[in-house]
Amino acid sequence: MNKAISVSTLNVQIKSLLETTFIQVYVEGEISNLTYHNSGHIYFSIKDESSTLSCVMFKGNTKYLKFQLENGQKIVITGNITVYAPRGNYQLLCNKIEPSGQGALAFAFEQLKNKLEAKGYFDGNYKQPLPKYPKKIVLVTSATGAAIEDMKKVANHRWPLVEFILIPTLVQGEGAASDIVKSIKYADRLSCDIMIVGRGGGSIEDLWAFNEEIVAIAIHEARTPIISAVGHEVDYMISDFVADMRAATPSNAIEIALPDINEHRIYLDSLVNEYNNRLKNILFNKQQELSNMKRLMEQNSIDTKFNYIQTEINLIKSSFKTDLGQKIVSSLNELNLLKNTLNNSISSFFVRTQNQIDLLNSNFQMNHPDKKDKNGFVQISKNNKIISLQDLQIGDEIELQTPKYIGTCILNKLEKQ
């Protein structure tokens, strides 16, 4: 008769058998009963149409998990079977989890992209315009990468007036995302016109720090306009969607941020040429107007009209040697007399007008306030109005005024001479 063994012994034997047999397994299933524990461990089950298997991923392995687990996701797990002997339960200890049908990084990218888009992080209303002529640009990138040299070269060619501030930043590997966030927050306090966040090309793993949610949040909360310039033209990062502007490369970021000084030189030359051409056209048109006005005045002047009449009369006079001719000669003489009279009248009018102007000017000069300051002469006023001495009465309060002094007195005596 076989000897019975204890439950504990059986569980230990089962544990030993399972853990040594199923050292590494690959299992595909759908997540259910998902729990993110406060300890950092993740507990869940995977299932198919017929069965369910308990799973656990301990905190030490969760840091390698690139995407967020959700109920209903179909995943592929790499792990081993472990048994909890006190309860006789076995579960799958997860070392690595990948989304079924695609890579973990690609899935994590789409997952975070959808999450941030739902929050409005990509909304154009949050995008800030870039200043047209930045004076100071802060660079959040590696101090040793080729990107910084490429950016400086492009800047010297396009707009050498700009000032750069470099914030040396870890842009790949462990801790890169946290360092990028720290640099963005520091750069945002420098009151620069533009911030460029990025690095040169690399593998998706090298660039992954710019796909982290904490970096996206830091870019979204920054007050400084940000250009995201990560990798090459084909690389799209989460930072590209959140930033105010995306650049295909770090060099392209400088091209976007800075105006082209050569284009401005050409534009200034065109302005000078346009100004000169317009000025020449204006002067030419004004000259033409003056010439036309002069010609019209000559055509309509009194002398021209009289000369025309004289010419006509001379023609008639030469054609007719009769009494009619004598009458025409007489009319011509009358016209000449009228002409002379008109000219004399105009001259006399101008002379009289000039004399009146000279007289008014002389009176003005003689009565100028500066001329009042003569010994024995003052201006008399009453109630702030100039008044004649003969219009005053005994007892009136009056002011005696020169350009420099004002005297107030009461009239005690007034006699007519």
Side-chain angles (χ1 to χ4, degrees):
M1 182 175 180
N2 294 330
K3 183 180 180 180
I5 60 175
S6 66
V7 174
S8 298
T9 301
L10 180 59
N11 280 343
V12 169
Q13 291 178 356
I14 293 173
K15 176 180 174 67
S16 176
L17 179 62
L18 290 178
E19 291 184 356
T20 55
T21 303
F22 300 96
I23 298 175
Q24 187 173 34
V25 295
Y26 300 94
V27 183
E28 183 179 44
E30 184 180 301
I31 297 176
S32 63
N33 302 320
L34 177 65
T35 300
Y36 277 84
H37 198 270
N38 294 333
S39 62
H41 306 324
I42 304 175
Y43 299 96
F44 61 96
S45 298
I46 58 171
K47 63 181 181 178
D48 56 19
E49 304 83 22
S50 305
S51 301
T52 299
L53 175 63
S54 297
C55 304
V56 62
M57 180 175 240
F58 292 126
K59 182 179 179 180
N61 288 323
T62 58
K63 62 183 179 180
Y64 303 111
L65 187 62
K66 295 298 183 180
F67 63 99
Q68 186 83 8
L69 296 181
E70 296 177 357
N71 285 319
Q73 283 180 352
K74 196 170 184 180
I75 57 174
V76 175
I77 300 174
T78 302
N80 56 281
I81 297 296
T82 181
V83 177
Y84 185 58
R87 292 184 182 175
N89 295 334
Y90 78 93
Q91 58 188 353
L92 180 59
L93 180 61
C94 305
N95 299 319
K96 181 180 178 182
I97 300 176
E98 295 277 347
S100 179
Q102 59 179 314
L105 294 181
F107 186 82
F109 178 89
E110 291 298 328
Q111 194 176 48
L112 180 57
K113 181 182 175 184
N114 293 335
K115 176 181 178 181
L116 296 178
E117 186 174 17
K119 288 185 175 182
Y121 276 36
F122 307 159
D123 195 333
N125 294 329
Y126 293 111
K127 307 293 184 182
Q128 301 183 75
L130 301 180
K132 192 171 183 179
Y133 299 101
K135 296 179 180 178
K136 189 183 296 185
I137 295 178
V138 59
L139 306 176
V140 176
T141 187
S142 171
T144 58
I148 186 67
E149 295 301 325
D150 292 340
M151 287 191 283
K152 287 165 60 178
K153 185 184 298 183
V154 175
N156 288 333
H157 175 71
R158 287 184 67 85
W159 197 257
L161 304 176
V162 71
E163 175 186 354
F164 284 110
I165 298 176
L166 173 63
I167 310 297
T169 306
L170 183 64
V171 293
Q172 76 177 65
E174 184 112 12
S178 298
D179 200 44
I180 293 171
V181 170
K182 180 180 176 182
S183 296
I184 290 174
K185 291 181 178 180
Y186 175 73
D188 198 35
R189 296 194 296 267
L190 299 180
S191 300
C192 293
D193 299 304
I194 295 175
M195 185 192 310
I196 297 177
V197 179
R199 53 155 292 163
S203 66
I204 185 63
E205 290 79 11
D206 293 338
L207 306 179
W208 190 256
F210 296 91
N211 284 328
E212 295 287 355
E213 185 173 4
I214 57 173
V215 173
I217 293 173
I219 292 175
H220 179 70
E221 293 178 348
R223 294 169 298 174
T224 307
I226 293 180
I227 300 176
S228 174
V230 184
H232 300 299
E233 188 170 354
V234 296
D235 298 318
Y236 275 84
M237 303 290 116
I238 294 296
S239 62
D240 294 335
F241 295 99
V242 182
D244 300 292
M245 182 71 68
R246 184 233 177 209
T249 63
S251 298
N252 180 237
I254 298 298
E255 294 174 348
I256 293 172
L258 298 179
D260 189 343
I261 195 170
N262 293 319
E263 291 181 0
H264 282 69
R265 287 169 177 162
I266 295 173
Y267 177 66
L268 289 175
D269 289 341
S270 67
L271 286 180
V272 171
N273 292 334
E274 183 179 357
Y275 172 80
N276 290 333
N277 291 334
R278 288 191 178 184
L279 184 60
K280 289 178 181 179
N281 289 335
I282 290 173
L283 293 176
F284 176 78
N285 292 333
K286 294 299 181 184
Q287 185 65 44
Q288 292 295 109
E289 290 179 10
L290 288 174
S291 299
N292 293 335
M293 291 177 65
K294 180 180 179 181
R295 186 163 53 252
L296 289 173
M297 291 180 67
E298 290 175 348
Q299 291 175 357
N300 293 280
S301 66
I302 294 176
D303 289 337
T304 301
K305 292 183 177 181
F306 274 115
N307 290 336
Y308 175 76
I309 295 173
Q310 173 101 35
T311 302
E312 292 294 321
I313 292 174
N314 288 337
L315 289 174
I316 295 173
K317 181 180 177 182
S318 61
S319 302
F320 300 96
K321 301 294 185 179
T322 60
D323 292 340
L324 177 60
Q326 295 299 322
K327 290 181 180 180
I328 292 174
V329 171
S330 176
S331 298
L332 177 60
N333 292 333
E334 291 180 3
L335 286 173
N336 287 333
L337 180 60
L338 287 173
K339 174 183 176 183
N340 293 332
T341 302
L342 178 60
N343 288 334
N344 291 335
S345 298
I346 293 174
S347 298
S348 297
F349 172 76
F350 280 117
V351 169
R352 289 196 305 273
T353 303
Q354 185 63 48
N355 290 338
Q356 291 176 357
I357 292 173
D358 292 341
L359 180 60
L360 289 172
N361 183 54
S362 177
N363 290 335
F364 172 75
Q365 296 297 330
M366 290 178 62
N367 292 280
H368 194 277
D370 292 340
K371 303 294 185 180
K372 292 193 299 182
D373 195 12
K374 297 180 180 179
N375 292 334
F377 289 88
V378 295
Q379 176 179 284
I380 303 172
S381 62
K382 176 184 176 184
N383 298 328
N384 296 323
K385 295 182 179 180
I386 299 174
I387 192 169
S388 176
L389 184 60
Q390 65 187 15
D391 295 329
L392 295 175
Q393 297 179 0
I394 302 299
D396 285 346
E397 182 177 337
I398 61 175
E399 293 180 346
L400 305 180
Q401 182 179 356
T402 69
K404 297 181 180 179
Y405 300 97
I406 297 177
T408 303
C409 58
I410 297 175
L411 184 62
N412 295 324
K413 183 179 179 180
L414 181 65
E415 295 181 355
K416 182 177 182 181
Q417 295 184 354

